[in-house]
Amino acid sequence: MSNERPLPILTDHNRPFWQAAAEHRLVMPSCNACAKLFYPIGPVCPDCFSQDLGWKQVSGRGKISSFVVYRQAFFAFFKDKLPYAVAQIELDEGPRYSANVLGVDPAQLHIGMEVEVSFERVSDEVTLPQFQPRFAAALQAVDAQ
Ligand SMILES: [Zn+2]
């Protein structure tokens, strides 16, 4: 079992997403025909099947709609991270995005918890959008002043 962190593979389809993340911006695919934002990234709008797609920046705010706490590492990289949480975040703009929730004891997580995006740079190419409780983001902003 490799100790390396499993990372997304960049393609022509998803590169704009990862480029934005490297600039600490969260973007979602958007449909130019029906104006809907969606995720995951795909070749057509899941709503109207248009191939006329673009990208829109979102607020990075949302609520936990589902989550799981891992107590077993399926990749060696995560062995010393246990327990850790993976949550599905329903963004204020609608799409649901899955990420780790950092800066909080996984036992404190609950459905409906307000969270905000933060960015974790893991390689030259990949900066992962992660999430943290919204109050933690507010505290960090105060600390930074
Ligand atoms: Zn559409």
Side-chain angles (χ1 to χ4, degrees):
M1 202 155 71
S2 157
N3 264 329
E4 276 177 46
R5 186 174 194 156
L7 290 176
I9 294 162
L10 273 64
T11 66
D12 288 344
H13 278 298
N14 69 21
R15 191 164 284 107
F17 177 89
W18 296 108
Q19 283 173 342
E23 297 164 3
H24 291 197
R25 294 183 302 113
L26 185 63
V27 297
M28 290 285 131
S30 71
C31 176
N32 293 327
C34 75
K36 224 175 184 141
L37 300 186
F38 60 92
Y39 197 88
I41 299 161
V44 299
C45 171
D47 233 52
C48 74
F49 307 112
S50 170
Q51 294 178 37
D52 182 10
L53 306 176
W55 296 88
K56 281 225 170 78
Q57 186 168 345
V58 294
S59 65
R61 292 183 172 189
K63 289 187 174 130
I64 291 177
S65 50
S66 180
F67 68 94
V68 61
V69 178
Y70 283 82
R71 299 178 192 283
Q72 183 180 337
F74 293 95
F75 290 90
F77 173 83
F78 292 108
K79 222 168 188 172
D80 62 353
K81 314 275 187 291
L82 298 173
Y84 69 92
V86 176
Q88 184 185 61
I89 315 297
E90 185 174 348
L91 298 169
D92 285 357
E93 293 83 358
R96 293 180 176 200
Y97 184 79
S98 295
N100 295 128
V101 182
L102 306 176
V104 61
D105 179 348
Q108 304 289 316
L109 296 183
H110 59 267
I111 306 290
M113 185 179 221
E114 295 192 331
V115 291
E116 189 160 60
V117 73
S118 60
F119 293 92
E120 184 182 4
R121 187 181 189 277
V122 293
S123 74
D124 285 346
E125 270 196 326
V126 177
T127 296
L128 296 172
Q130 302 280 36
F131 282 78
Q132 59 184 353
R134 208 174 288 181
F135 64 81
L139 285 176
Q140 281 179 5
V142 169
D143 282 350
Q145 282 175 2

